[in-house]
Amino acid sequence: MSLDFDGARMSALTEVGFFDGRVNLRHNVVVRIADCLNILEDDVPLARWPVGEVRLLPSAHGMARYGLADPNNLARLEVTDEMLMAAIRRSCPNLGRGDGAVTSRRTTCRIIGWSLAAAASVVGLVIFGLPLAANLLAPHIPQALQYDIGEASAKQLKLVYHAKTCRDPQGQAVLDKLVAKLATAGGLEQPLRPRIIETSIANAMALPGGRVYVFSKLLDEAQTPDELGGVIAHELGHEAHHDSMRRLIESGGTGLLLGMVFGDFTGSAGLVFAANTLINASYSRQAEKRADDYAIKVMTRLGRSPKPFGDLLQRLVRGHDIPQAMSLLADHPTTRSRLAAIAAHDVPDTGPPLLSPPQWVVLRSICKT
Ligand SMILES: [Zn+2]
């Protein structure tokens, strides 16, 4: 192991850690500084960071953590050697600029205000165990932290499914309108960021920070706005019940919970863990039932029958082997009883259609432009 900066080769005083932001794996690296920070592992370049883009991020005492200004890039460099820190300080003129670090710093501030609820949850954890602590804590996790986790998860989701976001502005406007209508009917006040992503499997997913993802194959399978609306309302149910954060706390165990309360969870390892957990998460039967009930409530309030939502689920079950990733139907054995419960709420439509026929056409072609 050697450090090599400012052109001078030096013996290693300590290790330099690099996380690529995609896989939760620490690389022991060498850093060479020129117009870029060249990050190498065994002489293989892992990353080249332009010096103007490097930002200093919050970190534990005795260590400096660096990232890039681009908030979508979660790669992190962790340095404990003071000479290397000094060299980076000399070479990178924008280290202290707020953009790259701002989210994390905001998170840190919010965590202070949040610590009372968190401390209560840790007491709950000791006395009652993890599921109860997750229930107590999930609604109180600061928005900024949820935003960071949602952002990391969304990035991972697109990476895993090789998916790109469909960006036709007219289609997006229709989607925004549809989601706003459903959220208002459900009494959901937090800001939402719905997106359609292009994938070959049919699914939908709610991630922290109000991110609602509908996979394009599901949009293709939906025959009416009511069918799609029911699925989105189900995902809004997960959002309203904080299911993704609850799931994250439950899977991460006490270590993650304590890390979120007392540690620096916004470090890249924590975010990568969160992202991987959330996009592979399947919810409990109880959580799915609650989300279905929420969808039934939303559709009924809008004067629309929830039955088309059940019809769409039924077609998906009948027509396909259900892939494991398909969280919408993850509790396969109980799907039949879920469908029966939805169908039991069938009522004649009394409200206006969720979308006009031209809006539906525009939305359905969101990935085709
Ligand atoms: Zn669900």
Side-chain angles (χ1 to χ4, degrees):
M1 169 64 40
S2 68
L3 298 177
D4 187 0
F5 51 86
D6 280 355
R9 194 161 194 91
M10 308 192 58
S11 304
L13 299 173
T14 179
E15 289 183 334
V16 181
F18 177 70
F19 296 87
D20 68 6
R22 294 189 294 271
V23 179
N24 190 1
L25 176 71
R26 182 191 155 101
H27 299 268
N28 293 325
V29 296
V30 168
V31 178
R32 288 203 182 97
I33 302 177
D35 54 340
C36 287
L37 297 193
N38 292 301
I39 298 164
L40 304 107
E41 184 181 43
D42 299 330
D43 283 334
V44 178
L46 296 183
R48 277 168 56 84
W49 288 4
V51 290
E53 298 295 303
V54 180
R55 300 290 183 270
L56 184 64
L57 304 177
S59 64
H61 184 68
M63 186 242 275
R65 177 180 288 133
Y66 304 95
L68 287 167
D70 175 4
N72 290 320
N73 192 324
L74 296 171
R76 297 288 185 265
L77 188 68
E78 295 181 348
V79 177
T80 51
D81 180 77
E82 292 196 355
M83 287 179 70
L84 180 56
M85 286 183 208
I88 292 177
R89 217 166 24 240
R90 279 197 304 277
S91 309
C92 302
N94 300 323
L95 272 189
R97 283 261 288 268
D99 43 8
V102 70
T103 319
S104 303
R105 216 177 284 138
R106 202 173 60 220
T107 303
T108 312
C109 297
R110 296 273 183 89
I111 281 174
I112 295 167
W114 174 60
S115 57
L116 205 61
S121 303
V122 173
V123 173
L125 171 72
V126 173
I127 302 175
F128 302 110
L130 200 55
L132 186 81
N135 279 342
L136 284 171
L137 190 58
H140 300 290
I141 291 170
Q143 288 294 326
L145 181 55
Q146 293 197 39
Y147 184 90
D148 285 357
I149 295 172
E151 193 168 48
S153 308
K155 196 163 175 275
Q156 190 74 355
L157 176 69
K158 285 184 251 179
L159 203 72
V160 167
Y161 287 101
H162 305 287
K164 70 174 182 62
T165 307
C166 301
R167 295 202 179 277
D168 173 56
Q170 286 180 308
Q172 184 63 45
V174 173
L175 180 67
D176 289 343
K177 197 173 283 185
L178 174 62
V179 171
K181 197 180 279 187
L182 296 164
T184 306
L188 195 60
E189 285 175 356
Q190 69 220 58
L192 297 167
R193 297 155 53 102
R195 296 284 184 270
I196 308 279
I197 55 169
E198 199 162 11
T199 60
S200 55
I201 64 163
N203 202 359
M205 203 175 275
L207 294 172
R211 289 167 182 268
V212 179
Y213 285 90
V214 176
F215 293 27
S216 61
K217 184 72 162 51
L218 184 79
L219 182 62
D220 294 341
E221 296 278 346
Q223 290 172 357
T224 64
D226 286 348
E227 289 191 353
L228 179 69
V231 169
I232 295 176
H234 172 98
E235 295 305 324
L236 296 184
H238 286 309
E239 188 75 27
H241 305 136
H242 312 285
D243 285 334
S244 57
M245 293 313 298
R246 184 178 287 117
R247 183 81 186 82
L248 181 59
I249 295 168
E250 285 174 358
S251 357
T254 49
L256 177 81
L257 183 60
L258 294 171
M260 286 169 81
V261 176
F262 299 112
D264 177 14
F265 184 73
T266 51
S268 63
L271 284 181
V272 170
F273 171 83
N276 282 324
T277 303
L278 288 178
I279 63 167
N280 295 312
S282 58
Y283 294 129
S284 67
R285 205 178 296 176
Q286 191 193 12
E288 292 300 347
K289 167 87 173 64
R290 270 203 316 251
D292 283 348
D293 290 347
Y294 186 92
I296 292 168
K297 178 183 79 179
V298 164
M299 295 302 279
T300 309
R301 280 187 185 163
L302 289 167
R304 309 299 298 178
S305 171
K307 186 170 177 296
F309 164 44
D311 293 343
L312 174 58
L313 293 187
Q314 189 134 38
R315 280 207 311 282
L316 294 172
V317 175
R318 213 185 296 133
H320 302 83
D321 289 336
I322 299 170
Q324 201 146 43
M326 195 164 165
S327 54
L328 198 59
L329 299 167
D331 57 341
H332 192 192
T334 58
T335 302
R336 196 168 303 143
S337 65
R338 284 178 62 191
L339 295 176
I342 296 166
H345 287 81
D346 188 20
V347 285
D349 293 329
T350 52
L354 292 183
L355 296 176
S356 68
Q359 285 176 320
W360 180 234
V361 171
V362 166
L363 178 56
R364 293 207 48 172
S365 53
I366 187 171
C367 299
K368 291 170 186 122
T369 52

